[in-house]
Amino acid sequence: MMKLILILLSAMLCMSSTSVSAFAPSFPTAPVRSATLQFTTPSAPISTTATSTTLFGKKAARAQGNARKGKSERVKKVKDDVIEVEATVIESLPNAMFRCTIDGAPETQEPVLATISGKIRKFFVKILVGDKVTIELSPYDLTRGRITFRKR
């Protein structure tokens, strides 16, 4: 029993005489902050500050997509090797093919045979006779095209 008391007294003496605690963890610890409550009166103006955060990777791409959602304007990549024209669907054919007349073209010009693009096929956009569409024509064959957009 006496040995136990002697050991405890020597440990307390050692802790009080040195600045480093023998029983404390070796890594630095953050200072403890005390929580205080602050009450504001209704007459005092409440200031809110907007914090701007920088997004990286997927979150940045999603934020750009969400910013684009509200816009009614269609953003497209510019292609060099295609001719883009406005047309009207005059006949629906099997296998997602359509016969279309180009708006502003003379009556003597034969209609364009157009198929629907992959995105329109993927999202099940219905194209009916009389719809206004955008067609991409290849410079090599001006009688065939791809429907890339259906006007609302």
Side-chain angles (χ1 to χ4, degrees), residues 1-49:
M1 183 73 173
M2 190 68 155
K3 283 186 178 181
L4 183 62
I5 294 173
L6 186 60
I7 291 172
L8 286 174
L9 285 174
S10 64
M12 288 176 34
L13 180 67
C14 181
M15 285 176 42
S16 65
S17 65
T18 61
S19 63
V20 178
S21 175
F23 300 106
S26 61
F27 56 89
T29 58
V32 177
R33 297 181 184 167
S34 62
T36 60
L37 296 175
Q38 294 179 354
F39 296 101
T40 58
T41 59
S43 62
I46 299 172
S47 64
T48 57
T49 58

Side-chain angles (χ1 to χ4, degrees):
M1 183 73 173
M2 190 68 155
K3 283 186 178 181
L4 183 62
I5 294 173
L6 186 60
I7 291 172
L8 286 174
L9 285 174
S10 64
M12 288 176 34
L13 180 67
C14 181
M15 285 176 42
S16 65
S17 65
T18 61
S19 63
V20 178
S21 175
F23 300 106
S26 61
F27 56 89
T29 58
V32 177
R33 297 181 184 167
S34 62
T36 60
L37 296 175
Q38 294 179 354
F39 296 101
T40 58
T41 59
S43 62
I46 299 172
S47 64
T48 57
T49 58
T51 59
S52 63
T53 58
T54 306
L55 300 174
F56 298 102
K58 272 188 187 177
K59 290 186 178 182
R62 285 185 185 145
Q64 287 176 349
N66 290 339
R68 258 195 328 260
K69 268 187 184 173
K71 295 183 181 178
S72 61
E73 177 178 315
R74 183 173 167 231
V75 180
K76 281 187 55 178
K77 292 181 184 176
V78 178
K79 295 184 180 177
D80 297 339
D81 58 344
V82 295
I83 303 163
E84 200 168 75
V85 294
E86 304 295 319
T88 306
V89 177
I90 57 171
E91 185 181 0
S92 177
L93 302 169
N95 295 332
M97 299 287 279
F98 299 91
R99 203 169 301 279
C100 305
T101 58
I102 297 174
D103 296 343
E107 294 290 325
T108 57
Q109 184 181 3
E110 63 183 48
V112 175
L113 185 65
T115 185
I116 60 176
S117 69
K119 290 276 186 174
I120 293 179
R121 194 182 304 256
K122 178 182 175 183
F123 292 111
F124 297 105
V125 175
K126 303 297 181 201
I127 298 175
L128 303 172
V129 174
D131 285 347
K132 300 278 187 190
V133 292
T134 302
I135 296 180
E136 289 181 352
L137 297 173
S138 168
Y140 304 109
D141 186 7
L142 296 174
T143 61
R144 291 183 167 266
R146 179 186 310 118
I147 298 174
T148 56
F149 188 71
R150 176 182 167 259
K151 302 281 190 275
R152 293 186 178 132

